[in-house]
Amino acid sequence: MPIFIFTMSQLTEIDLNSWSRKEHFNFFNEFAQPYFNVCVSLNMKLLYQYCKSHSISFSSAYVHALGQAINDYEPMRMRIKDNKPVICETVEQSIVTLADDETFRFVTLSTEMTLEDFDKMLKIQKSVVHNEALFSERVTTNEKRLDVSHVSILPWLNFSAFSHATNFGKSAGIPKCVFGRYNAETGLTPLSIDVHHALMDGLHVANFVDKLQKKLDEIRVND
């Protein structure tokens, strides 16, 4: 059985007094529900064709691209710890995966590896966690981490709006990303992105989406 080794990322505190978002942070950090949501459509036709021709899981490929884009864009690595803004050195993906009994489990995995290796490792971890309890010791330990982003995949739905279940209280600012159903005719896939308004604005989300789309397109360059 694989051994999962988790290495917590280094957190660097942001100097609030010299940060241009000081007032924005203090304002939105007091909100009962400080997240805002954006739904966009990503062009994944090139990625889909690549995965088909190389026998790679399509969902593995776009989750891998998502993780790399997050690690390349600092605002998506910002979190809130002890009511202060911090930056994670690196971020892993906490991925919701469906077990055979149609209940979900969690896999946490780094994207700092090749797509092929990520695809293989994700399949191995899924085979293990699907036989665990939802809140296993591994999951309980991972729940305390800030250096993750939350990723879900709904391949059955083509949505244009999305909302999450919310446990009101102080939030760590972890982004939540949900992929929807791929449209083979248009090559488009919906993506819902929830981010903490104390850490990011709409401009930052737009910049991130541009970076993610480039990651999705780059696969043909590397082939």
Side-chain angles (χ1 to χ4, degrees), residues 7-25:
T7 303
M8 303 297 183
S9 170
Q10 178 178 343
L11 303 178
T12 302
E13 185 175 332
I14 297 173
D15 182 1
L16 195 57
N17 290 324
S18 62
W19 193 28
S20 61
R21 292 191 60 80
K22 176 182 178 179
E23 291 181 309
H24 303 72
F25 178 84

Side-chain angles (χ1 to χ4, degrees), residues 7 11 16 20 44 66 124 153 173 183 196 211 219 221:
T7 303
L11 303 178
L16 195 57
S20 61
M44 295 196 185
L66 175 73
I124 292 172
I153 301 169
N183 186 319
H196 200 295
K211 288 181 177 292
I219 193 72
V221 176

Side-chain angles (χ1 to χ4, degrees), residues 138-163:
R138 176 188 55 78
V139 171
T140 302
T141 300
N142 258 347
E143 268 195 345
K144 303 173 183 178
R145 297 178 62 178
L146 299 182
D147 58 334
V148 295
S149 61
H150 295 159
V151 185
S152 298
I153 301 169
L154 301 178
W156 322 278
L157 296 175
N158 180 22
F159 53 79
S160 58
F162 200 92
S163 63

Side-chain angles (χ1 to χ4, degrees), residues 3 22 31 38 46 49 59 71 76 79 86 102 136 143-144 160 194 205 210 222:
I3 298 174
K22 176 182 178 179
F31 277 37
V38 175
L46 292 171
Q49 293 170 348
S59 59
N71 279 294
M76 289 291 283
R79 303 290 185 266
V86 297
E102 296 188 350
S136 64
E143 268 195 345
K144 303 173 183 178
S160 58
D194 273 40
V205 177
D210 286 343
N222 297 328

Side-chain angles (χ1 to χ4, degrees), residues 103-122:
T103 62
F104 65 84
R105 302 292 188 273
F106 299 103
V107 168
T108 302
L109 192 58
S110 169
T111 55
E112 292 188 321
M113 62 182 82
T114 66
L115 171 55
E116 290 76 11
D117 288 343
F118 179 82
D119 184 40
K120 292 175 184 176
M121 185 59 68
L122 183 56

Side-chain angles (χ1 to χ4, degrees), residues 30-35 164-171:
E30 297 302 318
F31 277 37
Q33 201 300 87
Y35 280 85
H164 290 271
T166 302
N167 183 12
F168 289 107
K170 286 297 181 181
S171 171

